[in-house]
Amino acid sequence: MPAKSKPTRRSACPLNVSLEILGDRWSLLIIRDLMIRGFRTYKEFLGSDEGIATNILADRLQKLEACGIISLQPDPTDRRKVNYRLTKKGIDLAPVLTELVLWATRYEDTGAPPALIRKMQKNRKQFLAEVRQRWRNGGSSPIIPGGRDRSE
Amino acid sequence: MPAKSKPTRRSACPLNVSLEILGDRWSLLIIRDLMIRGFRTYKEFLGSDEGIATNILADRLQKLEACGIISLQPDPTDRRKVNYRLTKKGIDLAPVLTELVLWATRYEDTGAPPALIRKMQKNRKQFLAEVRQRWRNGGSSPIIPGGRDRSE
DNA sequence: ACAAATAACTTGCTAAATGCAAGTGATATT
DNA sequence: AATATCACTTGCATTTAGCAAGTTATTTGT
């Protein structure tokens, strides 16, 4: 097999490049679960409110790993489990997620946890620093102050 | 016809809401063309390097208008033309675009115009202020310092 | 005035992606 | 040993994307 050449880009515009990697309805939700909720496993992702299908989840995890946004490691205590983690490249998407969240809360009806939003708005820089700090510590507890998003 | 109820959201998470509106490979490119390149018409969008198809473009323009990100006005000098403009809600996506561009230039091979990137990095706030200022003036000249993206 | 060109779409058709249900294989638990 | 759990695959129906061609309302050129 002659090593399939990766499909050529539509254009070299940086926004286009980002969209070819992240421009779908699911990838950033998986990244959210890793970044904010402290999820680590396939099963946890499946449990998110949006209800991703198993085949789509498997496909996205594969693509995200292929482009270096997440990494896999076997669970030391249960060999059935795979632990997914954000790489540096992955955690560096925090500003993108933040801006998308702030935009939505400004213009749409959302069930955003008010404590989290206040934190983001009040001091964006510090919030991002906290996200990164927690990532360095390998934190797997959700960053959401008041716990889980209970709305709907 | 019983007024089709708008399809219910997968979840109320603000990130999910943003993705249901913007999570595809084309919408943000159209917004880029309006925000950064000063495009106004259907034909100009069609000319962008990524090569959007006519039916997709028509569909996205309709959806972006439906959710208040762009507005339409007839051209005063040519009644065949429709001028598309970003609304406030639309121009407020500038931080999202900026972060996506900065992330891509940091981690991927892109043909980003160096002058624009330097501007974004050096003083994010000022860059965003300029984008908004230009929008208020109804500016239709590209914001890219060195002119058009010539790479590839 | 008339023919040709242009702007903004539609329509039809094919290919690819998504969504759902069910199944598989390797551990782990009881 | 039997059952459960975890991380996937597979099959199939539905939806969305992509491409080529056609349509309608102007506008431009002669």
Side-chain angles (χ1 to χ4, degrees):
Chain A
M1 201 160 35
K4 62 181 164 189
S5 57
K6 63 179 157 188
T8 176
R9 298 232 129 105
R10 298 181 301 187
S11 88
C13 167
L15 183 67
N16 176 60
V17 171
S18 284
L19 290 175
E20 289 196 27
I21 296 169
L22 303 165
D24 73 283
R25 321 181 114 53
W26 295 108
S27 299
L28 285 170
L29 290 179
I30 296 170
I31 292 166
R32 169 202 67 186
D33 286 348
L34 286 160
M35 190 182 296
I36 305 295
R37 300 187 172 169
F39 289 4
R40 290 284 110 89
T41 64
Y42 188 92
K43 199 196 176 186
E44 288 176 301
F45 301 133
L46 271 187
S48 276
D49 284 344
E50 291 83 10
I52 190 171
T54 57
N55 54 346
I56 307 285
L57 177 55
D59 176 78
R60 292 304 126 87
L61 288 171
Q62 212 173 287
K63 283 178 178 161
L64 289 173
E65 199 218 346
C67 86
I69 289 172
I70 64 176
S71 66
L72 284 66
Q73 44 204 178
D75 189 295
T77 69
D78 186 337
R79 291 197 301 168
R80 286 172 308 180
K81 286 188 182 172
V82 177
N83 280 2
Y84 295 93
R85 301 290 318 272
L86 287 173
T87 61
K88 176 71 162 49
K89 185 175 179 179
I91 199 71
D92 278 356
L93 284 166
V96 173
L97 292 242
T98 303
E99 295 301 341
L100 281 167
V101 165
L102 289 174
W103 180 82
T105 56
R106 195 172 314 148
Y107 288 106
E108 301 285 329
D109 219 21
T110 77
L116 182 60
I117 300 305
R118 252 178 283 120
K119 205 174 201 172
M120 282 181 174
Q121 285 171 335
K122 192 180 168 186
N123 197 337
R124 210 186 87 103
K125 252 189 168 171
Q126 197 205 315
F127 170 75
L128 291 172
E130 280 177 36
V131 169
R132 283 197 194 97
Q133 183 56 45
R134 207 181 61 100
W135 173 74
R136 266 182 243 111
N137 295 343
S140 66
S141 57
I143 212 164
I144 302 176
R148 193 128 162 16
D149 179 359
R150 231 171 292 79
S151 53
E152 161 166 323
Chain B
M1 200 158 43
K4 62 181 163 191
S5 58
K6 64 179 157 186
T8 175
R9 297 235 132 106
R10 298 181 300 187
S11 89
C13 167
L15 183 66
N16 176 61
V17 171
S18 283
L19 289 176
E20 290 196 28
I21 297 169
L22 302 166
D24 74 283
R25 324 181 106 54
W26 295 108
S27 299
L28 285 170
L29 291 179
I30 296 170
I31 292 165
R32 168 203 67 186
D33 286 348
L34 286 161
M35 190 182 295
I36 305 295
R37 300 187 172 168
F39 289 5
R40 291 283 112 88
T41 64
Y42 188 90
K43 200 197 176 186
E44 288 177 300
F45 301 134
L46 270 188
S48 276
D49 285 343
E50 292 83 11
I52 191 172
T54 57
N55 53 346
I56 308 286
L57 176 55
D59 176 78
R60 291 306 125 87
L61 287 171
Q62 213 173 292
K63 281 177 178 162
L64 288 173
E65 199 218 347
C67 85
I69 289 172
I70 63 176
S71 66
L72 282 69
Q73 43 204 177
D75 189 296
T77 69
D78 186 337
R79 291 196 301 168
R80 287 173 307 179
K81 285 188 184 172
V82 178
N83 279 5
Y84 295 94
R85 300 291 318 272
L86 288 173
T87 61
K88 177 72 164 45
K89 185 176 179 179
I91 199 71
D92 279 355
L93 283 166
V96 173
L97 291 243
T98 302
E99 295 301 342
L100 280 168
V101 165
L102 289 174
W103 179 83
T105 57
R106 195 172 314 149
Y107 287 107
E108 302 284 331
D109 220 22
T110 76
L116 182 60
I117 301 304
R118 252 179 284 118
K119 204 174 200 171
M120 282 182 176
Q121 285 170 333
K122 193 179 168 186
N123 196 335
R124 209 186 87 103
K125 252 190 167 171
Q126 196 204 315
F127 170 75
L128 291 172
E130 281 177 36
V131 169
R132 285 199 192 94
Q133 183 55 47
R134 206 182 61 101
W135 173 73
R136 265 183 246 109
N137 295 342
S140 66
S141 57
I143 211 163
I144 302 176
R148 195 130 159 18
D149 178 359
R150 229 171 291 79
S151 53
E152 156 168 335

